[in-house]
Amino acid sequence: APPTKPETAAQQSPELTARAVAGGVLVGGLMCFSNMYFGLQTGWVTMGSLQSALLGFGGFKLLEPYLSSPFTAAENVVLQTTAVAAATMPLAGGFVGIIPALRLLPAEQGGPVELSATALLGWCLALGFFGVFMAPPLRRQTILREKLPFPSGTATAEIIRQLHKLPRDAPPTLEREQERADELDGEVGMVSEMTSLVHDADRQQRPPALESSDPEETAAASAPAWGLLFGSFAISAIYTLVAHFVPIFKNLPIGTWIGLPILTKWSWTVQPSPSYVGQGLIMGPRVAVSMLMGTVIGWGILAPGAWAAGWAPGPIHDVQTGARGWLLWGSLAVML
């Protein structure tokens, strides 16, 4: 029999480690708060897989002198998987939609319904329990059989490969995963697929800044990016603190200042939060432009027109008789 090739250090190291899970919980917890905040305001929630991989790698890079072993790519896969599961809980658990809506129910409709912290925790645990059992068959159908591209997952795998400087000659493993799935009848995990994508990501093109194999040159090239990341975080944190103590900065009534208070009345104000800029960059121009057009059409044309015609005679922000309710139910009907 031909001799087998020895496994690399990355392949020999364990994938599921306590530090990877702890890092994923920490990063995912921070992103969960962000998603909850923006989800309640905009209805938009980001998975954050790329951000989780970058933040996790950066955090363990700072702790590298104190680690007994290097932070591996497989651990980064576990970290970002855990972080995404935690970050998307506001959407998966209904905390930016169904749960708040229950509290808005009027008394004649059985409301308001307020769930205790214990009930919400049980609800989240039940969702996670059923999600674990639903993931393997979905993975088998969508990834192994249909071979859907999953751009975000592939991009995350490429980022992890570049961050950890994995070799480009790593053998493809998607076929091996197919054989394993056939043998185990689909009882395989989602994490191993991402690990496979890390080794299969040689189909992507590496950015020129990361082509160098010199660690010092690579670190010097990536230093401005990390500085920009943490600088943006610092600016956003400073703005949040200032806006907390000086509330006028949260919502600038530009219309009132220029002699058009009607604009402020219809909520045409400016919220100069850097976090909204970052959220817009994450969601991309198509979604951002679509939301902007919907805002202009809804609150610039339809809502004032309905109020002027007497179709929504109540207070503007009332969900029963005001323009907000008139827009809300029509928009939901279009979406459904």
Side-chain angles (χ1 to χ4, degrees):
T4 57
K5 299 175 66 175
E7 291 184 332
T8 64
Q11 291 172 327
Q12 294 175 350
S13 61
E15 298 178 7
L16 184 61
T17 61
R19 65 183 185 182
V21 175
V25 170
L26 178 60
V27 174
L30 294 175
M31 297 186 64
C32 179
F33 284 112
S34 175
N35 278 335
M36 183 75 77
Y37 180 79
F38 286 105
L40 289 173
Q41 294 188 69
T42 66
W44 177 266
V45 171
T46 177
M47 288 181 59
S49 53
L50 286 171
Q51 298 89 327
S52 301
L54 287 170
L55 291 174
F57 177 82
F60 277 100
K61 198 69 175 177
L62 294 175
L63 299 175
E64 193 171 28
Y66 309 100
L67 300 178
S68 58
S69 60
F71 182 64
T72 65
E75 288 181 302
N76 204 346
V77 170
V78 174
L79 185 149
Q80 71 88 28
T81 304
T82 306
V84 168
T88 54
M89 185 52 70
L91 177 63
F95 293 102
V96 297
I98 299 175
I99 303 299
L102 292 175
R103 299 187 62 182
L104 298 177
L105 287 175
E108 57 270 18
Q109 297 180 5
V113 178
E114 297 189 13
L115 302 178
S116 64
T118 304
L120 292 176
L121 179 60
W123 167 248
C124 293
L125 291 176
L127 289 175
F129 178 81
F130 286 106
V132 167
F133 289 96
M134 288 299 298
L138 289 176
R139 172 186 179 274
R140 178 180 177 85
Q141 178 65 31
T142 59
I143 296 179
L144 300 180
R145 289 183 176 175
E146 299 183 18
K147 292 182 172 57
L148 299 180
F150 287 97
S152 61
T154 305
T156 304
E158 174 67 7
I159 287 294
I160 294 177
R161 188 188 67 78
Q162 293 177 359
L163 290 173
H164 294 270
K165 304 180 181 62
L166 295 182
R168 281 188 169 275
D169 57 354
T173 56
L174 193 57
E175 292 78 7
R176 185 170 70 249
E177 288 288 330
Q178 176 70 66
E179 295 174 0
R180 288 180 59 194
D182 292 338
E183 294 174 0
L184 301 177
D185 194 26
E187 297 299 324
V188 287
M190 293 292 289
V191 174
S192 52
E193 175 57 30
M194 181 62 77
T195 307
S196 301
L197 286 174
V198 168
H199 297 294
D200 292 340
D202 57 310
R203 292 174 295 180
Q204 306 292 328
Q205 183 177 2
R206 175 183 294 204
L210 297 176
E211 289 290 347
S212 174
S213 59
D214 186 358
E216 295 184 0
E217 184 177 345
T218 302
S222 60
W226 287 109
L228 180 62
L229 176 65
F230 288 107
S232 301
F233 177 81
I235 293 174
S236 182
I238 292 173
Y239 168 81
T240 302
L241 290 175
V242 172
H244 176 74
F245 294 103
V246 187
I248 189 64
F249 285 103
K250 286 185 178 180
N251 210 356
L252 303 179
I254 303 296
T256 302
W257 295 348
I258 62 176
L260 295 174
I262 188 65
L263 295 179
T264 304
K265 180 180 178 181
W266 285 92
S267 300
W268 286 99
T269 57
V270 177
Q271 298 183 9
S273 173
S275 53
Y276 280 109
V277 178
Q279 193 77 358
L281 292 173
I282 292 174
M283 68 175 57
R286 291 186 178 181
V287 178
V289 171
S290 175
M291 296 179 69
L292 177 61
M293 291 178 60
T295 302
V296 172
I297 295 174
W299 286 97
I301 301 176
L302 297 180
W307 178 78
W311 300 337
I316 293 176
H317 298 286
D318 186 77
V319 295
Q320 297 292 331
T321 60
R324 171 170 290 182
W326 188 85
L327 280 178
L328 173 64
W329 302 115
S331 301
L332 287 177
V334 171
M335 292 174 62
L336 297 176

